[in-house]
Amino acid sequence: MEKIVCPADFRCPISREIMKDPVTIITGVSYERKNIDKWFNVYNKRTCPATMQPLHSFDITPNHTLKRLILAWRETLEAAPSSSSSSSSTHPSIKHEEMVSLFSTLDSSPFKVSSLKKIRTIVGSGDDMRSDFIRSGGVEAVVRMLVSQTIVDNSDLVSFHACEEALGLLHILPLLKEDKAFQLLSKREPMKSIAMVLQRGSADARFHAIIIFRKISKAGFDWNPLLEDQGMDLFKSLLELVYDEICSKASSYALEVLFEILASSKKSRLKAIEAGAVCVLIELLPDSNRSKCEKMLLVMKLLCECPEGRTVLLDHGLGIAVVSKKLLQVSDATTKLGVKILHLVSDFQPTERVLEELLMYGAVKKLVTLLHMEGQSSTKKKVLHMLKLHGNSWRRHQCFPCELKDYLA
C-alpha cells in the first residue's frame, strides 16, 4: 500500500511536529503558536527561526487556511482503510517520517527537549520503532547533541535539561558490544557527558545514567580513559547513588558498576578508597538486604586487596564488627566473601588489636563453626589457615572456644 506522507508545510519549522494552531509572522512563515511565542518571549529572539531574518514586528496572525488544510488531511488519514494490514503499513511510516524530521531539530532548534520527548514517545511505542530509530541515524543525532550541549556550556540549565532528556531516550536502547549504540556511546566524550549528568542531574536523569553505565560495563568497557578525566568525581557520584534509600534499583546498579570498574582496573581502587568507598560500605552493610549485602562485600573484598583499603577498614572501628556479623547470617556467598576479607586483614595486618577484635566480635567463634563444614573448600582452607596462624594468640583469652584448644594443641 502507498505510504501517506505528511506535507512539509504542515509541520512547525521549530519543533517539526504537525501544527494544531498555526500562526504566521511578518516573513510569511507559519509556526505552531506556542512555539513561536516561546521563541519571542522566553528565548527573547528577534529573528525568524526559519530564515533568520531580523524582525521589526512581532505580530502573529492565525493561519486559518493552513489549519483547515491540516484538519482535512487528518480526516483523510483517519478515513483510510483501517484493516490491520493497512494500519501496520501506514502508521509506522508516519511515525518514521516524523521521527526523522525531528532529528534535524536537535542540531538547530532551541526546542531540543520537546523534540527529544517526542522522539522518545515514538521509540518507546515498540521494538520496530526502536530498530527504525537506530537504522535511521537516531543514535548519532542524539549523541551528537548530547556532546555538543555539554561542550557549549554545561552550566546552562536549558542545555543541561536537554542532556538529561537525551539519556531518558538512550537508556531504553540495547547496548551490546556489537551494537551501533554501544560503539557511539562508549567513546570518551559521550561517556564524560553521561558522567556529568550522573553527578548533577535530577533523580530520574541519574537513574537513566546509571542504567546506561551498567549496560556498557556488562558489555565490556575500558574505564581507564574516563577515570583519568573524572575518577574522583565519578566515584563520589556512584557512592551517592549507593546511599540512595529511595530508589533501591539505582543503588544496586551503582554497586554493580563499581564492581565492574574495580575488577577491571586495580589502579581505580585507590581512587575509590580515597573517595570514601570503604567507609560508605561499612556504614550501609548492617541494614542491607541479601542482594545488596553480597554486592557490597564483593566490592569491599576488591578494596581490601589493597593495603590502603585494609587500613581504612581497620581504622573505621566498626569494620571488623560489621563483616564478622555477616558470617553465617545472610547467605553462603556473604560468608565466603566475609571470610576472604577477614583472611586478608588478619594475614597482612595481624596486629594485637585486630586479633582481639576478631575474637571480641564473634568472628573466631564463627570460624570454628565453619571448620565443621563437610568436605574441602577454599573457604575452609582459609579458616584453617587463620586458626593455625593466630590460634596461639587467641587461646590466651578466656572467650576463646575451649573445644579448639585441644585441636590446636
Side-chain angles (χ1 to χ4, degrees), residues 7 9-12 18-24 30-34 61-76:
D9 291 340
F10 290 2
R11 296 188 182 277
C12 173
I18 299 171
M19 291 183 277
K20 296 178 181 177
D21 187 11
V23 294
T24 305
S30 292
Y31 300 91
E32 177 66 33
R33 183 187 292 273
K34 65 179 182 181
T61 306
N63 191 333
H64 297 299
T65 302
L66 181 57
K67 186 173 183 177
R68 282 196 296 271
L69 288 171
I70 293 171
L71 288 172
W73 178 80
R74 285 186 179 277
E75 289 173 3
T76 302

Side-chain angles (χ1 to χ4, degrees), residues 175-177 179-186 216 219-221:
L175 292 175
L176 301 176
K177 196 160 190 175
D179 291 341
K180 181 191 292 185
F182 174 88
Q183 293 163 10
L184 289 167
L185 271 175
S186 60
I216 286 175
F221 175 70

Side-chain angles (χ1 to χ4, degrees), residues 177-307:
K177 196 160 190 175
E178 62 274 11
D179 291 341
K180 181 191 292 185
F182 174 88
Q183 293 163 10
L184 289 167
L185 271 175
S186 60
K187 292 180 180 177
R188 192 165 189 158
E189 291 305 321
M191 290 294 283
K192 284 171 64 177
S193 299
I194 299 167
M196 181 195 71
V197 175
L198 188 70
Q199 293 160 26
R200 297 173 41 212
S202 64
D204 285 343
R206 293 170 75 200
F207 184 51
H208 297 153
I210 198 63
I211 288 174
I212 294 172
F213 272 171
R214 179 175 178 256
K215 288 181 178 181
I216 286 175
S217 67
K218 295 291 184 187
F221 175 70
D222 179 10
W223 290 93
N224 286 315
L226 186 62
L227 292 172
E228 288 174 12
D229 294 330
Q230 307 193 19
M232 190 62 65
D233 290 335
L234 176 62
F235 281 123
K236 285 181 177 178
S237 56
L238 286 171
L239 291 171
E240 283 179 14
L241 271 187
V242 171
Y243 253 121
D244 194 333
E245 297 179 355
I246 298 173
C247 183
S248 59
K249 274 190 176 180
S251 177
S252 182
Y253 290 169
L255 282 168
E256 290 179 30
V257 173
L258 263 176
F259 174 76
E260 295 292 341
I261 294 173
L262 300 176
S264 65
S265 168
K266 289 188 177 181
K267 289 182 181 178
S268 66
R269 298 176 195 180
L270 294 177
K271 290 184 179 179
I273 293 165
E274 191 179 344
V278 177
C279 293
V280 168
L281 296 174
I282 291 171
E283 290 166 20
L284 293 178
L285 258 173
D287 300 318
S288 59
N289 59 29
R290 174 176 172 169
S291 175
K292 268 194 177 180
C293 182
E294 290 174 357
K295 290 172 184 175
M296 286 181 189
L297 288 174
L298 266 173
V299 173
M300 187 178 286
K301 195 265 295 183
L302 290 176
L303 296 174
C304 284
E305 289 174 359
C306 302

